[in-house]
Amino acid sequence: MIETVELPELVAIGLLVEGEQVADLVRPAWTRLFERDTGASAFLRADLLPENGKQRALIGFLAARKTDRPEGMTRIEIPAQRYLRLVHDGSLAGIPAALDRLRHHAKAHGLVATDFTLDFGYLPGLPDTRHELHLALAPPVVLLG
């Protein structure tokens, strides 16, 4: 079931991957992240807005605001915002199709989706587990008359 939710401001720390296609860079980034002693237990992938024609993703974990950024990692602050949310209980390979389902839902319901996504549910070894997928919505346009 797809629902609209609001998430509070979040802080994520992790490894930034960027390129023409980040798909080939993601699995090695997970391996590097899980090899580090971060003490984290809530892992996520954040697909960031493209920059300079390159796709960007943060492979990391949720952190408290006061958490120090480990050397070689990137820290992002995600503002409170609205998302479309879908729980995915299939394989990791099915996540892109589930995100496309969120995009189609937004379009069908007159919502403006962004390219920013959050994917919670990763575990060391990358087993097929339950994932919560979030697609950020653009703020509504208010017309004053």
Side-chain angles (χ1 to χ4, degrees), residues 139-145:
V141 175
V142 178
L143 300 175
L144 301 177

Side-chain angles (χ1 to χ4, degrees), residues 2-76:
I2 295 174
E3 60 185 336
T4 303
V5 298
E6 289 202 32
L7 293 182
E9 183 177 285
L10 302 170
V11 173
I13 296 174
L15 302 172
L16 182 65
V17 294
E18 57 185 345
E20 298 291 322
Q21 294 288 326
V22 297
D24 295 335
L25 306 172
V26 170
R27 188 168 283 273
W30 280 118
T31 300
R32 289 192 319 274
L33 180 71
F34 290 139
E35 288 173 348
R36 300 202 47 182
D37 182 20
T38 63
S41 60
F43 297 98
L44 69 107
R45 173 180 170 167
D47 286 325
L48 310 175
L49 299 178
E51 197 170 274
N52 298 322
K54 293 184 180 181
Q55 293 180 348
R56 302 179 314 135
L58 183 84
I59 306 305
F61 55 91
L62 287 177
R65 178 163 293 288
K66 294 182 179 183
T67 302
D68 291 331
R69 180 184 55 83
E71 186 175 330
M73 291 196 177
T74 299
R75 173 191 176 97
I76 61 170

Side-chain angles (χ1 to χ4, degrees), residues 3-7 10 45-47 81-87 95 98-99 102-103 114-120 131-137:
E3 60 185 336
T4 303
V5 298
E6 289 202 32
L7 293 182
L10 302 170
R45 173 180 170 167
D47 286 325
Q81 57 190 328
R82 287 184 333 134
Y83 295 85
L84 289 179
R85 180 178 84 107
L86 173 67
V87 174
I95 289 175
L99 288 169
L102 287 172
R103 289 181 186 94
T114 70
D115 290 329
F116 184 79
T117 65
L118 295 172
D119 175 359
F120 301 99
H131 284 249
E132 283 192 23
L133 307 175
H134 295 79
L135 173 64
L137 298 172

